Amino acid sequence: MATAVSSQNTASVLDRISNSRTSLATNKETFLKLLTTQLKNQDPLAPTDTTQMTQQITSMTGVEQQLVTNDLLAALVGMNTGTGLSEGVSMIGKQVSAISDTSTLKDGTATFSWTQPGASTSLKVEIKNAAGKVVRTLTPEDQKSGDHVITWDGKDDSGAKLPDGGVYGIVVSAKAGDGEEMKVSNVKGRIEGLVTAVDNTTGQPQVVIDGKAVPVDNVVGIKAAAA
């Protein structure tokens, strides 16, 4: 999977470094004024301990070096953000598959997944088309707790085969032994299609797959588009 770092996080880091530098500059100027005054007014018979002065200067230098390190880390964060964008751009015009809240019917099948917090006694999976209409209702036998994966054969409730390329989502209804509705999570599908653009308006690079924006790091497969 591709990875990306938010540009908003980068800006936040840079702001903190800038504030630290301003504070350090003020403190350094004050420190030097005090040191100069101390040297001018020291007792010739009992001069200032040079060891203590050296420790103070070393401490101030150490803070400056730490800020330089922070600058380098911020630069690395910025490089990672740019990498996310460049990875997205490199996918334009290519066929990709990505984890999404929907799934594309391909080669007559589509795969979905979800997670249950416990075992259920009643389980129903409704498959909906892009218009929100239920086209198929499935009743999986496996009702265990944990992760579930189901592969739909692309047929509607009447047994008719639906054409490839359609995008579908699911609604999972699970009930516990007491009849209470169980809240499922991580409902996911896999979308496939052609990348036509890259969008970074949210601060997280996203590729646009047949009109749907998906985070770059959700892409799990890339191949050359068919001629």
Side-chain angles (χ1 to χ4, degrees):
M1 292 187 185
T3 56
V5 179
S6 171
S7 60
Q8 293 176 343
N9 292 339
T10 306
S12 177
V13 171
L14 291 175
D15 287 341
R16 289 198 294 271
I17 292 175
S18 178
N19 292 338
S20 297
R21 285 195 174 281
T22 301
S23 177
L24 177 64
T26 301
N27 292 336
K28 183 177 181 180
E29 184 177 348
T30 302
F31 169 75
L32 291 175
K33 286 182 179 179
L34 290 173
L35 181 60
T36 302
T37 302
Q38 183 179 14
L39 291 174
K40 286 181 178 180
N41 297 282
Q42 65 180 336
D43 185 351
L45 299 178
T48 302
D49 185 356
T50 56
T51 300
Q52 185 178 7
M53 291 174 55
T54 302
Q55 290 175 344
Q56 292 173 340
I57 295 173
T58 300
S59 177
M60 184 67 69
T61 302
V63 174
E64 289 182 320
Q65 290 176 340
Q66 183 61 51
L67 286 175
V68 171
T69 301
N70 290 345
D71 285 344
L72 293 174
L73 289 174
L76 288 174
V77 170
M79 288 173 63
N80 285 336
T81 301
T83 300
L85 281 173
S86 63
E87 286 179 348
V89 170
S90 69
M91 296 178 196
I92 294 177
K94 295 182 180 178
Q95 197 77 12
V96 303
S97 59
I99 296 171
S100 176
D101 55 354
T102 57
S103 190
T104 303
L105 187 60
K106 181 177 175 59
D107 296 330
T109 63
T111 302
F112 302 91
S113 62
W114 71 91
T115 303
Q116 293 183 194
S120 58
T121 56
S122 174
L123 182 61
K124 178 175 67 174
V125 177
E126 294 178 313
I127 299 175
K128 295 185 176 184
N129 61 18
K133 179 183 177 181
V134 177
V135 297
R136 181 74 179 274
T137 300
L138 303 173
T139 53
E141 294 182 1
D142 184 3
Q143 301 189 48
K144 67 182 179 180
S145 172
D147 297 332
H148 289 253
V149 177
I150 189 170
T151 299
W152 171 44
D153 61 7
K155 295 179 180 180
D156 62 17
D157 282 328
S158 69
K161 194 74 173 178
L162 298 175
D164 278 357
V167 176
Y168 298 86
I170 63 169
V171 175
V172 181
S173 301
K175 291 185 178 180
D178 57 4
E180 290 294 322
E181 195 75 24
M182 184 181 295
K183 186 176 182 180
V184 300
S185 60
N186 298 323
V187 179
K188 298 177 181 177
R190 181 170 293 192
I191 187 172
E192 297 190 14
L194 191 69
V195 176
T196 56
V198 179
D199 185 6
N200 193 41
T201 55
T202 63
Q204 180 184 23
Q206 299 183 87
V207 289
V208 179
I209 305 172
D210 292 338
K212 183 179 179 63
V214 177
V216 171
D217 56 354
N218 280 16
V219 174
V220 294
I222 307 173
K223 64 180 180 181

